[in-house]
Amino acid sequence: MRMKRKVGRKATVLPGFGLTMGFTILYLGVLVLIPLAMIFLNTTSLGWSGFWETVTDDRAVASYKLSFGTAFAAAIINAIFGVLIAWVLTRYHFPGKRILDSLVDLPFALPTAVAGIVLATLYAENGWIGQFFSFRIAFTPLGIMIALVFIGLPFVVRTVQPVLENIEKEVEEVSSLLGATRLQTFRKVILPELVPAILTGFTLAFARALGEYGSVVFIAGNMPFKTEITPFIIMTKLEQYDYVGATAIATVMLVATFVILLCINLLQWYSSRRFMNG
């Protein structure tokens, strides 16, 4: 019996479960759970009536709608075009492919403030791109959405790209030999494998867009009830030394974001399980 236990035991590079689990809990507790708990504790000094009055202010509610609406729209756009870009980078060979692949990661390296200034300059009424449109782009919700698309696109591309690379082309060839069209092959063979990765990329892009400040504040214009995002209101309250009010609004964003991400993760889990069972 002892020999069987020794043979059946798997060797691991890292220490045992207890030690690694302890480090994991310590890491998450110090860097994630404790700061988040402090947000909730700071809001208790307001009391329920003061908290509700702060977070339901007309200006704050307008910023919620703008932030969540533009973030969701930008994540949808990134999910669509991110898959297309990942497909091109994975399935085709052309001159300059490595350069194009490197450009995808540019929003990661570019400071967000620099990105915001550049986008505001390009899409202004007299900008290189904005001058060709008969409507305003900069200092409108459309400009905010463009900025969020810019910073969120790499999340979808880099999440979908490895999955596409691992899909065997022989499966597509068999589907074609069985009489399926290209659209049917993509919809019934490739897309089911991509759905979990697409949802993951969508989730990451959506979460990043909700908390984005630097690249948005310059192109938004920050006009109350029109182009004022929630992170800007939080920063304004911090500059006014209203720390409790800032944490109250941050709490609303935190809870709403957690609920949305939880629903998306459950949907991702369901789609992955359905694909494995299918």
Side-chain angles (χ1 to χ4, degrees):
M1 293 294 292
R2 293 181 179 177
M3 290 297 293
K4 289 183 179 180
R5 289 181 180 178
K6 290 182 179 180
V7 173
R9 186 177 298 172
K10 295 182 180 180
T12 58
V13 177
L14 295 177
F17 172 78
L19 184 60
T20 52
M21 188 65 179
F23 278 118
T24 301
I25 295 175
L26 178 64
Y27 179 84
L28 293 176
V30 173
L31 295 181
V32 179
L33 295 180
I34 293 178
L36 293 181
M38 289 303 300
I39 294 178
F40 289 99
L41 289 176
N42 285 337
T43 58
T44 57
S45 60
L46 275 174
W48 174 251
S49 59
F51 172 79
W52 185 254
E53 183 180 354
T54 301
V55 301
T56 57
D57 179 70
D58 293 340
R59 186 174 174 182
V61 172
S63 72
Y64 300 151
K65 295 178 180 179
L66 179 65
S67 294
F68 281 97
T70 53
F72 185 80
I76 290 291
I77 294 173
N78 280 328
I80 297 173
F81 290 95
V83 172
L84 293 177
I85 294 174
W87 181 274
V88 170
L89 293 176
T90 304
R91 296 305 177 92
Y92 301 109
H93 299 280
F94 52 89
K97 177 181 176 179
R98 292 183 180 273
I99 298 176
L100 183 61
D101 194 14
S102 300
L103 289 176
V104 172
D105 295 325
L106 187 60
F108 285 148
L110 192 66
T112 56
V114 175
I117 294 173
V118 171
L119 291 174
T121 303
L122 287 175
Y123 289 98
E125 292 183 357
N126 57 347
W128 288 1
I129 299 177
Q131 62 180 335
F132 297 106
F133 293 88
S134 58
F135 53 89
R136 294 182 62 184
I137 298 179
F139 316 123
T140 66
L142 178 59
I144 297 174
M145 192 169 61
I146 291 175
L148 297 180
V149 169
F150 174 79
I151 58 100
L153 182 63
F155 290 98
V156 179
V157 176
R158 294 311 183 206
T159 305
V160 175
Q161 195 172 0
V163 179
L164 275 174
E165 292 174 349
N166 292 329
I167 296 178
E168 298 179 357
K169 295 183 179 180
E170 288 78 7
V171 178
E172 301 175 37
E173 294 175 358
V174 171
S175 176
S176 179
L177 290 175
L178 292 175
T181 62
R182 292 183 178 181
L183 181 60
Q184 290 174 332
T185 300
F186 178 79
R187 185 168 56 89
K188 296 184 178 182
V189 178
I190 299 176
L191 186 59
E193 295 193 28
L194 292 181
V195 167
I198 294 173
L199 288 176
T200 301
F202 172 86
T203 303
L204 294 173
F206 178 71
R208 171 66 188 277
L210 277 179
E212 182 61 22
Y213 175 78
S215 61
V216 177
V217 68
F218 293 99
I219 198 172
N222 310 312
M223 293 178 286
F225 302 99
K226 293 182 179 180
T227 60
E228 189 176 46
I229 57 174
T230 304
F232 181 78
I233 290 183
I234 295 174
M235 289 298 299
T236 302
K237 288 185 176 294
L238 290 175
E239 292 174 354
Q240 297 171 352
Y241 302 101
D242 184 8
Y243 300 117
V244 180
T247 54
I249 295 178
T251 301
V252 174
M253 293 289 290
L254 176 62
V255 173
T257 303
F258 176 78
V259 172
I260 293 173
L261 295 182
L262 178 62
C263 294
I264 295 175
N265 286 329
L266 289 175
L267 180 62
Q268 180 186 358
W269 171 81
Y270 173 77
S271 61
S272 300
R273 186 177 179 182
R274 182 179 179 183
F275 171 72
M276 293 178 63
N277 295 335

